[in-house]
Amino acid sequence: MRRLKWPSWMPVDPYILLLLGTVGLAALFPARGTAADVASGASTAAIAFLFFLYGARLSTREALDGLRHWRLHGTVLICTFVAFPLLGLAARGLEPVLLTHDLYTGLLFLTLVPSTIQSSIAFTSIARGNVPAAICAGSFSSLAGIVVTPLLAALLLGNSGGGFSADSVVRIVLQLLVPFLAGQLLRPWIGAFITRHKKVLGYVDRGSILLVVYTAFSEGMVRGIWSQVSAVRLGGLLLVEALLLAVMLLLTWYGTKALRFGREDRIAIQFAGSKKSLASGLPMAGVLFGAHASLAVLPLMLFHQMQLMVCAVIAKRRARDPEASGRTGPDGPAGTRGATGRRFLVRSADVVQR
């Protein structure tokens, strides 16, 4: 029997539809009482398991092999953890005229999370960019985000993040960093198993994130948070996010040209440096914001879908660029990325989750 595939012309990420369906389920049937306690405990366990899998999947050797592109990776990290947060802080002037305090807090948190992995790789490949560099840049960003994102949240969000405190730091270490390190340590023994069952574990990833979303939005419904958000405010949020994405796309493309990066490296930097990870951001928000996580993750969910749609168009346009073939960047010819890029693209067939 032939498997059904999502139509290539459909601009909406099917996983976003599942997330929206989960939000709708939480709105109609929010977890209360004992059910809320069970959902909260399951969500905590799911977050820890997610980061355990992230640690077990990340090949230390492959990450170290990519260190020779330190200038490229440093640029991506600066875009992700410096340029994005600065733009987020600049958006504070839009509060409360265009954004409510909670929506602005969510927007600022969006600018603090790490970059994507799979979608950055896929779009870089489509645009005929430096795929191995995109792989390493996304991996470094995700790894750095486990430490950098909570530190930036403590510095920039303070108590506006729903009670961010020293206890939150301890929860971050126990729920995110410890499982991640455990995955890294056990990788020599479980890495082959994870590779053989990556498809099934991918479903576990997604299911865990859906559980986190359901728990967060259930708490928001019970507390009446959604009565604070109007259609006008959501429209304002979308406008601000579109401007944020446009600025970062222009900065990562023309800024890297000024820094004299080759075309393939510029493509990798643009796609890795202009996006934010839904898979990493949602669990972190659950730990950092607690009962306030529902509004905190809304800007990230909207931005995630927006970046996929816009970057898909850009990647296809870059692929048609006359310069897409035969160019050689400062780090080597285009042909050097072939075998490595194809190997990692097989691992990253699911391009929309992270």
Side-chain angles (χ1 to χ4, degrees):
M1 184 175 179
R2 188 176 183 182
R3 292 180 59 188
L4 295 177
K5 293 184 178 181
W6 191 257
S8 60
W9 50 265
M10 187 71 72
V12 180
D13 172 6
Y15 190 63
I16 287 292
L17 296 182
L18 287 175
L19 288 170
L20 294 177
T22 302
V23 172
L25 181 64
L28 295 174
F29 306 103
R32 302 175 184 271
T34 303
D37 294 336
V38 172
S40 178
S43 177
T44 300
I47 291 171
F49 186 62
L50 272 174
F51 278 83
F52 174 80
L53 289 179
Y54 294 164
R57 286 171 177 155
L58 179 62
S59 171
T60 306
R61 177 183 175 184
E62 289 158 357
L64 292 176
D65 286 344
L67 283 176
R68 64 189 183 90
H69 297 291
W70 62 269
R71 185 166 166 260
L72 182 149
H73 303 318
T75 302
V76 171
L77 291 175
I78 290 173
C79 290
T80 303
F81 296 116
V82 178
F84 254 116
L86 288 176
L87 291 174
L89 289 173
R92 189 183 295 275
L94 302 175
E95 178 195 346
V97 177
L98 198 59
L99 301 174
T100 65
H101 174 71
D102 288 330
L103 288 179
Y104 170 71
T105 299
L107 179 71
L108 183 56
F109 172 72
L110 145 71
T111 65
L112 308 182
V113 303
S115 179
T116 63
I117 299 178
Q118 285 131 320
S119 57
S120 296
I121 297 168
F123 290 136
T124 299
S125 175
I126 292 171
R128 302 181 184 180
N130 190 336
V131 175
I135 294 164
C136 294
S139 299
F140 291 156
S141 178
S142 296
L143 181 59
I146 297 176
V147 176
V148 175
T149 297
L151 291 178
L152 288 176
L155 177 65
L156 302 180
L157 294 175
N159 291 330
S160 66
F164 189 91
S165 62
D167 290 339
S168 298
V169 176
V170 174
R171 291 199 303 270
I172 284 289
V173 171
L174 294 178
Q175 287 186 245
L176 306 184
L177 187 57
V178 170
F180 180 88
L181 293 177
Q184 277 281 284
L185 291 174
L186 293 176
R187 177 179 168 79
W189 295 277
I190 65 175
F193 175 84
I194 288 178
T195 300
R196 289 195 305 268
H197 299 87
K198 59 184 178 181
K199 185 175 182 180
V200 175
L201 291 175
Y203 292 135
V204 173
D205 273 5
R206 299 179 188 184
S208 299
I209 292 173
L210 292 177
L211 178 59
V212 172
V213 171
Y214 175 77
T215 303
F217 278 85
S218 287
E219 292 179 354
M221 288 299 299
V222 172
R223 294 172 180 265
I225 291 178
W226 286 103
S227 61
Q228 306 171 19
V229 182
S230 65
V232 174
R233 296 292 190 182
L234 287 178
L237 175 62
L238 286 171
L239 179 63
V240 173
E241 291 192 336
L243 181 60
L244 175 65
L245 180 59
V247 170
M248 288 306 302
L249 286 170
L250 291 172
L251 178 64
T252 51
W253 185 248
Y254 291 104
T256 52
K257 182 178 182 180
L259 293 174
R260 299 185 180 278
F261 280 99
R263 179 186 178 278
E264 293 186 349
D265 287 345
R266 290 173 64 198
I267 290 173
I269 293 172
Q270 183 176 52
F271 289 125
S274 65
K275 294 203 293 303
K276 292 294 183 175
S277 172
L278 186 69
S280 296
L282 288 179
M284 288 182 179
V287 177
L288 294 173
F289 294 93
H292 300 263
S294 54
L295 283 182
V297 302
L298 180 62
L300 179 58
M301 291 173 61
L302 295 176
F303 188 83
H304 176 82
Q305 178 59 38
M306 185 183 297
Q307 70 186 11
L308 290 179
M309 296 172 65
V310 173
C311 288
V313 174
I314 293 176
K316 292 178 181 178
R317 182 174 179 179
R318 295 266 185 267
R320 295 194 297 267
D321 192 322
E323 298 180 350
S325 60
R327 285 294 298 269
T328 301
D331 293 313
T336 60
R337 76 177 194 274
T340 305
R342 285 192 295 273
R343 183 174 69 251
F344 278 102
L345 284 174
V346 171
R347 298 179 185 175
S348 308
D350 179 15
V351 300
V352 295
Q353 183 187 344
R354 297 176 188 168

